[in-house]
Amino acid sequence: MAAADAAVLDIDNQTSTIAKDVTSSPSNKRKRSDGEDQTGNSKTNNNNNKRHKKKKGGGGGKKQHHNKQKRNWIESCSESITRIPSNCVAPVTCVITRSEIEEEPLLPKQVGDDMTQSEDTKHTLDRDDDGADKIDCSSSNNEPTESNTSSIEHPANNIATLSKSFVDTLSKEPIQPWKIATTLQVNGEEKKLFIPVQRHASTNGPTKWQQTQKKQGRHTKKGQNYSHLPDGDNGDGKKNPYPKKAVPDKFWAQRKRLFSRYDEGIQIGGEDDPEMWYSVTPESIGLHIANRMALMMNLDRKSTSGTGAGDTTNTQCNDSKKETVIIDAFCGCGGNSIAFARLNNNKDVAGSNTRVKVIAVDNNLSRLKLAANNASIYGISKEDIVLVHADAVEVINAYEGGSRKNVQSEIPTNDRCCETYFGFAVGGVELLPDHVDALFLSPPWGGMDYDSNKGKSGFDPVNGITLESKMHNKEGDVMKTNGGELLTMAVKAVLSESKQEGLVVAFLPRNIDGISFTRVAVTSDIKGSIELEQNVVNGKVKTVTAYLGPCVHRYLTGEEKK
């Protein structure tokens, strides 16, 4: 995926100016409705009301077009950094940025005046995009080889459980009910929580891709109908071999966008695990996120003269390079884990004084085997990725302030011993390192219908994300964790207030409600600034990536580490 790699490297030039632009750019003067006053009062935008009144009298066609083109919160929210009410407190600023990634179109289209569409095709086209959402593509027409046939098992039989020791620890500790913050105590006075929003200059106006398309006249002519090639054909003549109800043609057609080396034997599951078809991060977005994380952590390291005695962070590897540990808590078939490990081959991003070690965690053993297969195809060193079969909640709770807590002897991997898949070590929590520098969260959003899990202004991370962890008992009890609790655990596990280190990154849907998410961040004891980045591919917002931690605030404001 040369085009994708080039696009990711170009991001360096774009993101290097963020600190300067955020601190010095004039306030964004565009006035858009936030949907609801953060202080709890209903808010009306007169300009929007006038516009809606005009549309009511303008005919049903225009109104229908307006609803179809309705933008998400991340695109339409107004800047409020200069409008903080005097009776409120604003401990965290939500900074919105935009990253633009250009790819060659992977879905050839044919033109026709009178085309009939199957129900599956209608479903594909109604989503009004080219397939670069948080989707996943399986190596379905790659026949299993002798070397990997025996290693792939049915996913239902390979789910890790919470260890007995971890459950016992939870039962001994008093459980405080998690509740999102709406007010904060300031000098003994209770004040309402306000989330100021600051829009980076990169979010202004149309994207570069849209501007280029307009200049070149590549816009759809009125009355001209377009349709993707049938059966998921992306131009190479390979048709979707899966039942369309399990794997829509759109997903199959995007296989090389998800993994550029797909034809070399990449595997992403099959009919027995359809969730994988909409779970993996497209390769170009994954590389970009890895690049941003490395830039932020490099700023943290450059301001440090070295590690002191007894400091467990940034320990030395055998090759005398500092080891930066990134935990991918929901690795699936390995898309993001592979992108993180590829940083070791990119001197411009990671630098020559560090080496990234990826801890790829998943509660599904079959998916870890797929990740091992895919990492081997990309030539990832066996030392750069460790596969941990465990529940993400238990792994995250194994750390505090970036350091490992007391090591538990219990291994939540269904009593499996440490194994090796395609040369990569696979085991339980006993393989976790002593420290962690960054934690990447890509939890399930609620399936393909995640768009229905909305609050008043978009996707609600508290109600839209729910993890179910199997207990280690005969009854098969389940412990549920919502998105707010998950982020709070992650912040406590990785971020160190005393050392001003650590990075938490969350991969979110494009319709995320930024105000709700930032309130969760405040509840998790985040301070300063967080970044919500629009991941734009070929002019369209596909996903949103949230960056949280001391290094994020320093990166956005240009401050040096104290």
Side-chain angles (χ1 to χ4, degrees), residues 484-501:
E485 294 170 324
L486 176 66
L487 187 64
T488 300
M489 292 177 187
V491 169
K492 182 180 179 181
V494 179
L495 304 190
S496 173
E497 186 173 351
S498 60
K499 298 177 183 178
Q500 288 292 293
E501 293 176 342

Side-chain angles (χ1 to χ4, degrees), residues 34-72:
D34 283 332
E36 181 184 11
D37 193 316
Q38 293 182 34
T39 60
N41 301 321
S42 59
K43 182 172 69 172
T44 304
N45 187 304
N46 292 331
N47 292 333
N48 284 347
N49 286 343
K50 292 178 182 179
R51 185 161 61 248
H52 284 303
K53 289 179 181 178
K54 291 180 180 179
K55 287 184 177 291
K56 286 182 179 179
K62 291 185 178 181
K63 184 176 181 180
Q64 183 179 5
H65 176 75
H66 169 73
N67 291 336
K68 184 178 180 180
Q69 299 299 326
K70 185 178 180 180
R71 292 182 294 180
N72 297 313

Side-chain angles (χ1 to χ4, degrees), residues 20-35:
K20 179 179 178 181
D21 290 339
V22 167
T23 55
S24 62
S25 63
S27 175
N28 191 324
K29 296 182 179 180
R30 293 178 298 166
K31 300 299 182 182
R32 293 173 177 167
S33 174
D34 283 332

